[in-house]
Amino acid sequence: LEAFISSLQILETFGPLLSLAVKNDTANCEKVRAAWEVLSSAGDAQRCSTLRGLLEAERASGIHKAGGVLADPSAAIALVWMRRSLEFQNGVLDGMHSDRASVLSNVAREAYKTHLEGFHNFWLKNTFRAGLSAMPGREDFVQRLLPLHDDGRPPEERITQCYAEVADLVEVQQKVIATMRTLFVELDLEDNRKA
């Protein structure tokens, strides 16, 4: 959860119109914490110390239905949406890194289409489309990702390092995303309904 909260700092750099997405992700983190506290106090706190254990305990409580129909609020539904948000963020960062000539808002639209659009209703789609249209340009975005302090290195060197760190982050986050997706499918907790 702490790592996910840290990743929201990156989502915040996408622009102010996506602040609703950041608030939603923060609320989802709180849903997970609340479920974890309840399940930990009601049963085996050690079991709930892992993602698998938390999801298995919640599933065993009987609040979810077969076929990935998840209760809301629950840790599972919150984590599904947190993973999707992370997939979107990772899609933007990967596209930004792999195609440095593309307009960032176009990269973001493609990531949205791939990772979130299919799960959003009409209103959410329009909200996201407006937010993505207001994304900063690539140069401004990279500056937002760079450390705020000047460490004395030439700007080009700092930008090169930024792109290298983005590539590393994409790789790590992709492993987290794949592990989460596999676990949710295995436990029949992959809810594909629209929000």
Side-chain angles (χ1 to χ4, degrees):
L1 288 177
E2 289 175 17
F4 187 81
I5 290 290
S6 292
S7 77
L8 291 180
Q9 294 173 6
I10 296 170
L11 193 57
E12 288 173 338
T13 65
F14 287 13
L17 288 177
L18 288 178
S19 63
L20 290 175
V22 173
K23 287 180 184 178
N24 188 58
D25 286 342
T26 302
N28 279 330
C29 283
E30 290 309 312
K31 286 180 185 179
V32 174
R33 282 187 205 282
W36 174 77
E37 288 173 6
V38 167
L39 291 167
S40 291
S41 65
D44 183 4
Q46 182 63 31
R47 178 182 185 192
C48 291
S49 67
T50 67
L51 178 59
R52 175 181 289 281
L54 174 66
L55 293 172
E56 287 174 345
E58 190 174 78
R59 185 172 172 233
S61 75
I63 65 170
H64 304 303
K65 295 179 182 172
V69 179
L70 304 180
D72 190 6
S74 68
I77 194 70
L79 285 160
V80 164
W81 283 105
M82 289 165 61
R83 187 197 73 222
R84 289 175 182 157
S85 180
L86 193 61
E87 287 173 318
F88 165 69
Q89 180 190 104
N90 223 40
V92 173
L93 295 175
D94 186 38
M96 175 194 130
H97 175 265
S98 61
D99 184 359
R100 295 189 191 183
S102 290
V103 174
L104 190 57
S105 59
N106 292 341
V107 170
R109 279 188 203 94
E110 186 60 36
Y112 175 72
K113 182 179 177 184
T114 302
H115 300 292
L116 289 173
E117 186 176 53
F119 303 106
H120 282 175
N121 63 31
F122 173 80
W123 303 110
L124 281 173
K125 287 178 185 179
N126 285 331
T127 301
F128 258 85
R129 287 178 185 147
L132 297 176
S133 294
M135 280 191 71
R138 176 182 293 269
E139 197 171 293
D140 186 32
F141 183 68
V142 170
Q143 289 303 315
R144 291 177 186 192
L145 290 176
L146 289 171
L148 296 176
H149 66 281
D150 184 1
D151 60 5
R153 291 180 297 150
E156 300 81 22
E157 189 177 316
R158 293 175 69 217
I159 290 170
T160 299
Q161 180 182 358
C162 179
Y163 274 101
E165 289 176 3
V166 163
D168 291 345
L169 178 63
V170 166
E171 183 180 339
V172 170
Q173 288 186 160
Q174 192 54 44
K175 289 176 184 177
V176 170
I177 291 164
T179 300
M180 288 178 74
R181 186 180 300 112
T182 299
L183 180 60
F184 274 75
V185 169
E186 177 187 328
L187 296 176
D188 190 28
L189 297 174
E190 188 64 26
D191 194 323
N192 290 313
R193 294 174 295 165
K194 289 183 186 260

